């Protein structure tokens, strides 16, 4: 059957999600999931009917949370579907391009390749910020520019002024998509206020991270009405299952938002705990993170990753050399992870010292 598939798909390497990579253990800190499992009530009285394409109560609830007009909100099956909708709406296959800035989220490229859309890459600077001059030199044929802030996997925030400069240089040329999947951990850095000034700005959001609903698959696209109306021409007829809408509305209620705010503070405290503990270890560099994860550089990252994996502590390899991404779990998970890493590094250090002593005596 493979020969019947499009050549692009036959040659495509799928996104290596945490679940696809597998593993077995008791501590899962590899998918930037929340450690909180909140309870919701679900009724089954309407499951014999199709859901609304855009459930009004859900749209209004997220608009209230985001501080935008309900006509500026579209909901979808995770922010990943939002990426695909934008590509399908604005890009002509085998003609147009998207531009993204690695290291960053891998689905921008995979979604584009799936629809035969060209990709252009402009790497982030050594400080993991936007290389604006290089971006400007590569905008020919580009319809969508994807920016992730806080960026995955590096964890840093893109400079707000740079995002505005990018929006200025792309006016009447391309759509700028700011992926804010982790923005709930640092809402003060959101670009949402720029929607009023820049009609070509699009923002992606999700309930998967701070709202602890990764399994719900509920995302949002924030944009001006003209963009939303175009996306509504492309989206599937019934993208939001009835139970998904019901649970999401509960999560976005006054009580749900208060719970999320408390849990964000808890996760942020655990992130600080991990950052401080790891930062004290020799040969370890912990990069500042503003989401629910940290990027950490180790002198022997591969050996450490394997040791953690074999011990049932499942973290995420990073495409950045010698780096591991660690999701922030509950305090017990963070303590056990830190303790294992500390013991491993100490053991390796002692073994190296003993070898040096043995060699010198010989």
């Amino acid at each position: 059957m493979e020969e019947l598939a499009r050549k692009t798909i036959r040659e495509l390497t799928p996104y290596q999600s945490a679940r696809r990579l597998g593993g077995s253990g008791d501590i899962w800190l590899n998918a930037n999931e929340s450690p909180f499992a909140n309870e919701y009530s679900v009724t089954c009285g309407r499951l014999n009917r199709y859901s609304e394409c855009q459930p009004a109560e859900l749209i209004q609830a997220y608009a209230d949370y985001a501080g935008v007009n309900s006509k500026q909100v579209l909901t979808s099956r995770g922010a990943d579907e939002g990426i695909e909708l934008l590509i399908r709406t604005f890009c002509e296959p085998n003609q147009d391009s998207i531009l993204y800035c690695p290291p960053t989220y891998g689905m921008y490229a995979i979604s584009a390749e799936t629809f035969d859309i060209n990709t252009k890459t402009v790497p982030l600077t050594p400080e993991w910020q936007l290389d604006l001059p290089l971006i400007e030199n590569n905008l020919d044929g580009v319809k969508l520019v994807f920016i992730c802030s806080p960026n995955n996997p590096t964890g840093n925030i893109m400079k707000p002024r740079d995002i505005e400069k990018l929006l200025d240089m792309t006016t009447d040329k391309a759509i700028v998509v700011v992926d804010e999947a982790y923005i709930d951990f640092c809402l003060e850095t959101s670009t949402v206020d720029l929607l009023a000034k820049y009609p070509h700005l699009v923002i992606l959001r999700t309930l998967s991270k701070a709202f602890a609903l990764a399994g719900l698959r509920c995302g949002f696209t924030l944009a001006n009405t003209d963009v939303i109306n175009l996306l509504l021409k492309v989206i599937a007829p019934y993208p939001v299952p009835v139970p998904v809408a019901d649970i999401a509305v509960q999560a976005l209620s006054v009580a749900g938002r208060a719970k999320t705010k408390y849990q964000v503070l808890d996760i942020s405290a655990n992130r600080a705990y991990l950052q401080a503990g790891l930062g004290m270890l020799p040969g370890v560099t912990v990069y500042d993170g503003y989401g629910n994860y940290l990027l950490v550089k180790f002198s022997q990252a591969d050996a450490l990753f394997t040791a953690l994996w074999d011990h049932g502590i499942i973290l995420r390899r990073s495409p950045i050399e010698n780096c591991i991404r660690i999701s922030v779990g509950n305090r017990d998970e963070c303590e056990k992870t830190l303790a294992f890493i500390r013991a491993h590094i100490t053991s390796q250090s002692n073994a190296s010292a003993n070898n040096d002593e043995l060699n010198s005596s010989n």
Side-chain angles (χ1 to χ4, degrees):
M1 297 300 292
E2 185 173 333
E3 65 273 9
L4 296 179
R6 289 162 47 215
K7 182 174 184 291
T8 299
I9 302 303
R10 294 199 304 268
E11 296 176 353
L12 185 70
T13 300
Y15 180 72
Q16 297 302 300
S17 67
R19 291 298 171 267
R20 274 188 166 177
L21 291 172
S24 61
D26 301 319
I27 298 177
W28 292 81
L29 301 179
N30 65 333
N32 294 349
E33 299 157 322
S34 172
F36 297 99
N38 301 318
E39 294 187 0
Y40 298 94
S41 60
V42 178
T43 59
C44 299
R46 295 180 292 131
L47 296 185
N48 60 315
R49 303 295 182 188
Y50 287 116
S51 62
E52 295 178 73
C53 176
Q54 295 292 293
E57 189 177 7
L58 174 57
I59 293 295
Q60 188 61 58
Y62 200 82
D64 291 342
Y65 172 69
V68 299
N69 188 289
S70 61
K71 293 181 179 180
Q72 295 177 290
V73 181
L74 178 139
T75 187
S76 60
R77 290 165 288 202
D80 289 328
E81 187 180 22
I83 295 170
E84 290 199 355
L85 289 172
L86 288 162
I87 290 172
R88 290 165 56 200
T89 299
F90 290 100
C91 297
E92 291 284 355
N94 300 307
Q95 179 177 321
D96 294 327
S97 301
I98 71 161
L99 186 150
Y100 64 99
C101 304
T104 193
Y105 186 40
M107 276 306 297
Y108 309 137
I110 290 176
S111 292
E113 291 167 9
T114 298
F115 296 110
D116 289 320
I117 306 302
N118 300 318
T119 60
K120 291 186 178 184
T121 60
V122 175
L124 296 174
T125 68
E127 295 75 32
W128 292 333
Q129 292 295 325
L130 300 177
D131 190 334
L132 292 174
L134 198 54
I135 290 175
E136 189 167 23
N137 290 337
N138 282 274
L139 286 177
D140 287 347
V142 170
K143 285 288 189 68
L144 296 167
V145 180
F146 285 94
I147 303 299
C148 191
S149 183
N151 187 45
N152 176 20
T154 60
N156 65 292
I157 295 166
M158 299 300 154
K159 295 177 182 177
R161 183 64 189 127
D162 284 354
I163 293 178
E164 286 198 63
K165 289 178 180 178
L166 176 62
L167 286 162
D168 288 333
M169 75 170 62
T170 52
T171 299
D172 298 326
K173 295 180 181 178
I175 303 291
V176 174
V177 185
V178 181
D179 187 342
E180 293 188 344
Y182 301 94
I183 203 66
D184 307 281
F185 295 95
C186 49
L187 277 171
E188 68 281 0
T189 70
S190 175
T191 57
V192 71
D193 291 342
L194 296 177
L195 284 172
K197 183 179 178 182
Y198 296 101
H200 60 302
L201 170 63
V202 174
I203 299 169
L204 297 174
R205 297 278 192 90
T206 182
L207 299 185
S208 294
K209 312 303 179 183
F211 281 87
L213 288 171
L216 196 68
R217 307 310 301 130
C218 185
F220 299 90
T221 301
L222 309 180
N224 287 287
T225 306
D226 289 347
V227 172
I228 296 297
N229 288 339
L230 288 168
L231 297 178
L232 286 170
K233 293 183 177 184
V234 179
I235 198 168
Y238 313 109
V240 186
V242 170
V244 170
D246 288 348
I247 291 172
V249 167
Q250 293 173 56
L252 290 163
S253 68
V254 173
R257 285 161 58 175
K259 180 180 290 185
T260 293
K261 186 176 181 178
Y262 169 80
Q263 292 174 352
V264 164
L265 291 173
D266 190 279
I267 291 169
S268 297
N270 290 343
R271 184 185 66 206
Y273 166 82
L274 263 182
Q275 184 168 7
L278 291 168
M280 296 174 64
L281 300 177
V284 176
T285 300
V286 187
Y287 298 99
D288 288 336
Y290 292 85
N292 63 336
Y293 56 95
L294 288 169
L295 185 70
V296 188
K297 186 173 185 178
F298 299 93
S299 57
Q300 297 182 351
D302 288 343
L304 173 61
F305 180 90
T306 301
L308 285 157
W309 183 282
D310 292 343
H311 193 70
I313 301 175
I314 311 302
L315 306 185
R316 178 78 163 179
R317 290 182 189 269
S318 169
I320 302 170
E321 187 177 8
N322 292 323
C323 286
I324 297 173
R325 194 191 70 188
I326 306 175
S327 304
V328 179
N330 60 37
R331 183 52 66 96
D332 181 64
E333 291 170 327
C334 291
E335 288 177 350
K336 288 179 178 177
T337 300
L338 177 59
F340 185 91
I341 293 173
R342 182 186 291 119
H344 179 85
I345 290 177
T346 300
S347 174
Q348 295 297 105
S349 178
N350 289 340
S352 177
N354 289 337
N355 285 336
D356 290 344
E357 184 177 342
L358 182 62
N359 290 334
S360 62
S361 64
N362 290 337

PDB file of all heavy atoms in Angstrom, residues 242-269:
ATOM      1  N   VAL A 242     -18.573  17.135  22.231  1.00  0.00           N
ATOM      2  CA  VAL A 242     -19.408  17.712  23.298  1.00  0.00           C
ATOM      3  C   VAL A 242     -18.727  17.620  24.664  1.00  0.00           C
ATOM      4  O   VAL A 242     -18.665  18.619  25.400  1.00  0.00           O
ATOM      5  CB  VAL A 242     -20.794  17.035  23.310  1.00  0.00           C
ATOM      6  CG1 VAL A 242     -21.578  17.450  24.560  1.00  0.00           C
ATOM      7  CG2 VAL A 242     -21.574  17.398  22.053  1.00  0.00           C
ATOM      8  N   PRO A 243     -18.176  16.459  25.076  1.00  0.00           N
ATOM      9  CA  PRO A 243     -17.525  16.403  26.398  1.00  0.00           C
ATOM     10  C   PRO A 243     -16.314  17.337  26.495  1.00  0.00           C
ATOM     11  O   PRO A 243     -16.035  17.875  27.567  1.00  0.00           O
ATOM     12  CB  PRO A 243     -17.103  14.932  26.523  1.00  0.00           C
ATOM     13  CG  PRO A 243     -17.975  14.191  25.580  1.00  0.00           C
ATOM     14  CD  PRO A 243     -18.202  15.124  24.440  1.00  0.00           C
ATOM     15  N   VAL A 244     -15.596  17.517  25.384  1.00  0.00           N
ATOM     16  CA  VAL A 244     -14.447  18.424  25.392  1.00  0.00           C
ATOM     17  C   VAL A 244     -14.905  19.847  25.693  1.00  0.00           C
ATOM     18  O   VAL A 244     -14.323  20.548  26.530  1.00  0.00           O
ATOM     19  CB  VAL A 244     -13.700  18.367  24.047  1.00  0.00           C
ATOM     20  CG1 VAL A 244     -12.658  19.486  23.960  1.00  0.00           C
ATOM     21  CG2 VAL A 244     -13.023  17.015  23.875  1.00  0.00           C
ATOM     22  N   ALA A 245     -15.949  20.285  25.008  1.00  0.00           N
ATOM     23  CA  ALA A 245     -16.463  21.634  25.242  1.00  0.00           C
ATOM     24  C   ALA A 245     -16.948  21.796  26.674  1.00  0.00           C
ATOM     25  O   ALA A 245     -16.682  22.819  27.333  1.00  0.00           O
ATOM     26  CB  ALA A 245     -17.587  21.941  24.254  1.00  0.00           C
ATOM     27  N   ASP A 246     -17.652  20.788  27.187  1.00  0.00           N
ATOM     28  CA  ASP A 246     -18.183  20.878  28.552  1.00  0.00           C
ATOM     29  C   ASP A 246     -17.063  21.000  29.578  1.00  0.00           C
ATOM     30  O   ASP A 246     -17.119  21.838  30.496  1.00  0.00           O
ATOM     31  CB  ASP A 246     -19.032  19.645  28.870  1.00  0.00           C
ATOM     32  CG  ASP A 246     -20.366  19.647  28.122  1.00  0.00           C
ATOM     33  OD1 ASP A 246     -20.715  20.705  27.559  1.00  0.00           O
ATOM     34  OD2 ASP A 246     -21.032  18.599  28.101  1.00  0.00           O
ATOM     35  N   ILE A 247     -16.035  20.181  29.434  1.00  0.00           N
ATOM     36  CA  ILE A 247     -14.926  20.208  30.393  1.00  0.00           C
ATOM     37  C   ILE A 247     -14.143  21.510  30.262  1.00  0.00           C
ATOM     38  O   ILE A 247     -13.755  22.130  31.265  1.00  0.00           O
ATOM     39  CB  ILE A 247     -14.013  18.990  30.186  1.00  0.00           C
ATOM     40  CG1 ILE A 247     -14.741  17.715  30.602  1.00  0.00           C
ATOM     41  CG2 ILE A 247     -12.706  19.136  30.978  1.00  0.00           C
ATOM     42  CD1 ILE A 247     -14.006  16.437  30.257  1.00  0.00           C
ATOM     43  N   ALA A 248     -13.908  21.953  29.043  1.00  0.00           N
ATOM     44  CA  ALA A 248     -13.156  23.190  28.826  1.00  0.00           C
ATOM     45  C   ALA A 248     -13.871  24.387  29.432  1.00  0.00           C
ATOM     46  O   ALA A 248     -13.227  25.267  30.024  1.00  0.00           O
ATOM     47  CB  ALA A 248     -12.925  23.405  27.337  1.00  0.00           C
ATOM     48  N   VAL A 249     -15.192  24.430  29.305  1.00  0.00           N
ATOM     49  CA  VAL A 249     -15.959  25.535  29.900  1.00  0.00           C
ATOM     50  C   VAL A 249     -15.805  25.516  31.419  1.00  0.00           C
ATOM     51  O   VAL A 249     -15.661  26.573  32.058  1.00  0.00           O
ATOM     52  CB  VAL A 249     -17.442  25.444  29.493  1.00  0.00           C
ATOM     53  CG1 VAL A 249     -18.295  26.371  30.354  1.00  0.00           C
ATOM     54  CG2 VAL A 249     -17.612  25.798  28.019  1.00  0.00           C
ATOM     55  N   GLN A 250     -15.815  24.336  32.018  1.00  0.00           N
ATOM     56  CA  GLN A 250     -15.617  24.243  33.468  1.00  0.00           C
ATOM     57  C   GLN A 250     -14.219  24.726  33.855  1.00  0.00           C
ATOM     58  O   GLN A 250     -14.049  25.433  34.849  1.00  0.00           O
ATOM     59  CB  GLN A 250     -15.809  22.797  33.925  1.00  0.00           C
ATOM     60  CG  GLN A 250     -17.229  22.278  33.791  1.00  0.00           C
ATOM     61  CD  GLN A 250     -17.322  20.797  34.099  1.00  0.00           C
ATOM     62  OE1 GLN A 250     -16.929  20.339  35.192  1.00  0.00           O
ATOM     63  NE2 GLN A 250     -17.824  20.012  33.144  1.00  0.00           N
ATOM     64  N   ALA A 251     -13.223  24.358  33.069  1.00  0.00           N
ATOM     65  CA  ALA A 251     -11.844  24.781  33.365  1.00  0.00           C
ATOM     66  C   ALA A 251     -11.688  26.285  33.249  1.00  0.00           C
ATOM     67  O   ALA A 251     -10.861  26.885  33.954  1.00  0.00           O
ATOM     68  CB  ALA A 251     -10.875  24.080  32.421  1.00  0.00           C
ATOM     69  N   LEU A 252     -12.486  26.901  32.377  1.00  0.00           N
ATOM     70  CA  LEU A 252     -12.378  28.340  32.142  1.00  0.00           C
ATOM     71  C   LEU A 252     -13.358  29.157  32.986  1.00  0.00           C
ATOM     72  O   LEU A 252     -13.428  30.378  32.835  1.00  0.00           O
ATOM     73  CB  LEU A 252     -12.613  28.637  30.659  1.00  0.00           C
ATOM     74  CG  LEU A 252     -11.496  28.158  29.722  1.00  0.00           C
ATOM     75  CD1 LEU A 252     -11.980  28.116  28.276  1.00  0.00           C
ATOM     76  CD2 LEU A 252     -10.268  29.046  29.856  1.00  0.00           C
ATOM     77  N   SER A 253     -14.075  28.490  33.864  1.00  0.00           N
ATOM     78  CA  SER A 253     -14.963  29.199  34.776  1.00  0.00           C
ATOM     79  C   SER A 253     -14.142  29.979  35.798  1.00  0.00           C
ATOM     80  O   SER A 253     -12.911  29.828  35.885  1.00  0.00           O
ATOM     81  CB  SER A 253     -15.880  28.209  35.491  1.00  0.00           C
ATOM     82  OG  SER A 253     -15.108  27.394  36.376  1.00  0.00           O
ATOM     83  N   VAL A 254     -14.800  30.814  36.576  1.00  0.00           N
ATOM     84  CA  VAL A 254     -14.094  31.591  37.601  1.00  0.00           C
ATOM     85  C   VAL A 254     -13.359  30.656  38.556  1.00  0.00           C
ATOM     86  O   VAL A 254     -12.177  30.860  38.874  1.00  0.00           O
ATOM     87  CB  VAL A 254     -15.081  32.492  38.372  1.00  0.00           C
ATOM     88  CG1 VAL A 254     -14.373  33.162  39.549  1.00  0.00           C
ATOM     89  CG2 VAL A 254     -15.680  33.545  37.442  1.00  0.00           C
ATOM     90  N   ALA A 255     -14.038  29.593  38.991  1.00  0.00           N
ATOM     91  CA  ALA A 255     -13.406  28.640  39.912  1.00  0.00           C
ATOM     92  C   ALA A 255     -12.272  27.880  39.222  1.00  0.00           C
ATOM     93  O   ALA A 255     -11.214  27.643  39.818  1.00  0.00           O
ATOM     94  CB  ALA A 255     -14.449  27.657  40.447  1.00  0.00           C
ATOM     95  N   GLY A 256     -12.488  27.501  37.960  1.00  0.00           N
ATOM     96  CA  GLY A 256     -11.456  26.773  37.227  1.00  0.00           C
ATOM     97  C   GLY A 256     -10.218  27.605  37.000  1.00  0.00           C
ATOM     98  O   GLY A 256      -9.087  27.114  37.136  1.00  0.00           O
ATOM     99  N   ARG A 257     -10.406  28.858  36.663  1.00  0.00           N
ATOM    100  CA  ARG A 257      -9.263  29.745  36.448  1.00  0.00           C
ATOM    101  C   ARG A 257      -8.512  30.008  37.745  1.00  0.00           C
ATOM    102  O   ARG A 257      -7.270  30.115  37.750  1.00  0.00           O
ATOM    103  CB  ARG A 257      -9.739  31.050  35.812  1.00  0.00           C
ATOM    104  CG  ARG A 257     -10.087  30.892  34.351  1.00  0.00           C
ATOM    105  CD  ARG A 257     -10.968  31.991  33.817  1.00  0.00           C
ATOM    106  NE  ARG A 257     -10.379  33.319  33.970  1.00  0.00           N
ATOM    107  CZ  ARG A 257     -10.943  34.429  33.488  1.00  0.00           C
ATOM    108  NH1 ARG A 257     -12.094  34.346  32.824  1.00  0.00           N
ATOM    109  NH2 ARG A 257     -10.360  35.599  33.651  1.00  0.00           N
ATOM    110  N   ALA A 258      -9.230  30.086  38.862  1.00  0.00           N
ATOM    111  CA  ALA A 258      -8.576  30.282  40.160  1.00  0.00           C
ATOM    112  C   ALA A 258      -7.720  29.064  40.507  1.00  0.00           C
ATOM    113  O   ALA A 258      -6.592  29.197  41.007  1.00  0.00           O
ATOM    114  CB  ALA A 258      -9.620  30.528  41.244  1.00  0.00           C
ATOM    115  N   LYS A 259      -8.247  27.878  40.228  1.00  0.00           N
ATOM    116  CA  LYS A 259      -7.484  26.652  40.488  1.00  0.00           C
ATOM    117  C   LYS A 259      -6.228  26.609  39.621  1.00  0.00           C
ATOM    118  O   LYS A 259      -5.143  26.259  40.085  1.00  0.00           O
ATOM    119  CB  LYS A 259      -8.348  25.431  40.219  1.00  0.00           C
ATOM    120  CG  LYS A 259      -7.645  24.099  40.455  1.00  0.00           C
ATOM    121  CD  LYS A 259      -8.559  22.923  40.167  1.00  0.00           C
ATOM    122  CE  LYS A 259      -9.646  22.813  41.201  1.00  0.00           C
ATOM    123  NZ  LYS A 259     -10.483  21.596  41.003  1.00  0.00           N
ATOM    124  N   THR A 260      -6.380  26.978  38.348  1.00  0.00           N
ATOM    125  CA  THR A 260      -5.232  26.989  37.440  1.00  0.00           C
ATOM    126  C   THR A 260      -4.176  27.972  37.914  1.00  0.00           C
ATOM    127  O   THR A 260      -2.971  27.673  37.881  1.00  0.00           O
ATOM    128  CB  THR A 260      -5.685  27.348  36.015  1.00  0.00           C
ATOM    129  OG1 THR A 260      -6.512  26.293  35.513  1.00  0.00           O
ATOM    130  CG2 THR A 260      -4.489  27.534  35.087  1.00  0.00           C
ATOM    131  N   LYS A 261      -4.594  29.134  38.365  1.00  0.00           N
ATOM    132  CA  LYS A 261      -3.648  30.141  38.851  1.00  0.00           C
ATOM    133  C   LYS A 261      -2.845  29.605  40.028  1.00  0.00           C
ATOM    134  O   LYS A 261      -1.618  29.785  40.106  1.00  0.00           O
ATOM    135  CB  LYS A 261      -4.387  31.413  39.246  1.00  0.00           C
ATOM    136  CG  LYS A 261      -3.474  32.568  39.620  1.00  0.00           C
ATOM    137  CD  LYS A 261      -4.279  33.830  39.903  1.00  0.00           C
ATOM    138  CE  LYS A 261      -3.362  35.006  40.252  1.00  0.00           C
ATOM    139  NZ  LYS A 261      -4.137  36.254  40.495  1.00  0.00           N
ATOM    140  N   TYR A 262      -3.526  28.920  40.942  1.00  0.00           N
ATOM    141  CA  TYR A 262      -2.841  28.331  42.098  1.00  0.00           C
ATOM    142  C   TYR A 262      -1.853  27.258  41.638  1.00  0.00           C
ATOM    143  O   TYR A 262      -0.712  27.193  42.114  1.00  0.00           O
ATOM    144  CB  TYR A 262      -3.871  27.723  43.053  1.00  0.00           C
ATOM    145  CG  TYR A 262      -3.253  26.866  44.135  1.00  0.00           C
ATOM    146  CD1 TYR A 262      -2.685  27.435  45.269  1.00  0.00           C
ATOM    147  CD2 TYR A 262      -3.226  25.476  44.006  1.00  0.00           C
ATOM    148  CE1 TYR A 262      -2.100  26.645  46.257  1.00  0.00           C
ATOM    149  CE2 TYR A 262      -2.645  24.678  44.980  1.00  0.00           C
ATOM    150  CZ  TYR A 262      -2.086  25.270  46.098  1.00  0.00           C
ATOM    151  OH  TYR A 262      -1.508  24.487  47.065  1.00  0.00           O
ATOM    152  N   GLN A 263      -2.263  26.414  40.689  1.00  0.00           N
ATOM    153  CA  GLN A 263      -1.397  25.340  40.222  1.00  0.00           C
ATOM    154  C   GLN A 263      -0.196  25.873  39.442  1.00  0.00           C
ATOM    155  O   GLN A 263       0.887  25.308  39.509  1.00  0.00           O
ATOM    156  CB  GLN A 263      -2.220  24.360  39.384  1.00  0.00           C
ATOM    157  CG  GLN A 263      -3.234  23.590  40.231  1.00  0.00           C
ATOM    158  CD  GLN A 263      -4.168  22.706  39.424  1.00  0.00           C
ATOM    159  OE1 GLN A 263      -4.177  22.746  38.196  1.00  0.00           O
ATOM    160  NE2 GLN A 263      -4.976  21.903  40.107  1.00  0.00           N
ATOM    161  N   VAL A 264      -0.395  26.953  38.711  1.00  0.00           N
ATOM    162  CA  VAL A 264       0.724  27.600  38.016  1.00  0.00           C
ATOM    163  C   VAL A 264       1.759  28.091  39.020  1.00  0.00           C
ATOM    164  O   VAL A 264       2.972  27.931  38.810  1.00  0.00           O
ATOM    165  CB  VAL A 264       0.219  28.762  37.138  1.00  0.00           C
ATOM    166  CG1 VAL A 264       1.375  29.679  36.727  1.00  0.00           C
ATOM    167  CG2 VAL A 264      -0.477  28.217  35.899  1.00  0.00           C
ATOM    168  N   LEU A 265       1.306  28.668  40.127  1.00  0.00           N
ATOM    169  CA  LEU A 265       2.231  29.126  41.165  1.00  0.00           C
ATOM    170  C   LEU A 265       2.996  27.945  41.754  1.00  0.00           C
ATOM    171  O   LEU A 265       4.204  28.042  42.024  1.00  0.00           O
ATOM    172  CB  LEU A 265       1.463  29.862  42.270  1.00  0.00           C
ATOM    173  CG  LEU A 265       0.871  31.219  41.889  1.00  0.00           C
ATOM    174  CD1 LEU A 265      -0.015  31.748  43.018  1.00  0.00           C
ATOM    175  CD2 LEU A 265       1.976  32.219  41.575  1.00  0.00           C
ATOM    176  N   ASP A 266       2.315  26.831  41.946  1.00  0.00           N
ATOM    177  CA  ASP A 266       2.960  25.633  42.495  1.00  0.00           C
ATOM    178  C   ASP A 266       4.022  25.104  41.535  1.00  0.00           C
ATOM    179  O   ASP A 266       5.153  24.780  41.945  1.00  0.00           O
ATOM    180  CB  ASP A 266       1.895  24.568  42.758  1.00  0.00           C
ATOM    181  CG  ASP A 266       2.431  23.381  43.538  1.00  0.00           C
ATOM    182  OD1 ASP A 266       3.062  22.506  42.912  1.00  0.00           O
ATOM    183  OD2 ASP A 266       2.239  23.327  44.774  1.00  0.00           O
ATOM    184  N   ILE A 267       3.679  25.017  40.261  1.00  0.00           N
ATOM    185  CA  ILE A 267       4.630  24.533  39.255  1.00  0.00           C
ATOM    186  C   ILE A 267       5.816  25.485  39.139  1.00  0.00           C
ATOM    187  O   ILE A 267       6.974  25.055  39.018  1.00  0.00           O
ATOM    188  CB  ILE A 267       3.921  24.363  37.899  1.00  0.00           C
ATOM    189  CG1 ILE A 267       2.940  23.187  37.973  1.00  0.00           C
ATOM    190  CG2 ILE A 267       4.932  24.134  36.772  1.00  0.00           C
ATOM    191  CD1 ILE A 267       2.007  23.082  36.784  1.00  0.00           C
ATOM    192  N   SER A 268       5.546  26.778  39.192  1.00  0.00           N
ATOM    193  CA  SER A 268       6.628  27.766  39.116  1.00  0.00           C
ATOM    194  C   SER A 268       7.585  27.636  40.281  1.00  0.00           C
ATOM    195  O   SER A 268       8.800  27.789  40.130  1.00  0.00           O
ATOM    196  CB  SER A 268       6.042  29.176  39.043  1.00  0.00           C
ATOM    197  OG  SER A 268       5.263  29.347  37.872  1.00  0.00           O
ATOM    198  N   ALA A 269       7.031  27.334  41.473  1.00  0.00           N
ATOM    199  CA  ALA A 269       7.883  27.133  42.652  1.00  0.00           C
ATOM    200  C   ALA A 269       8.746  25.883  42.472  1.00  0.00           C
ATOM    201  O   ALA A 269       9.936  25.874  42.816  1.00  0.00           O
ATOM    202  CB  ALA A 269       7.018  27.017  43.904  1.00  0.00           C
TER     203      ALA A 269
END
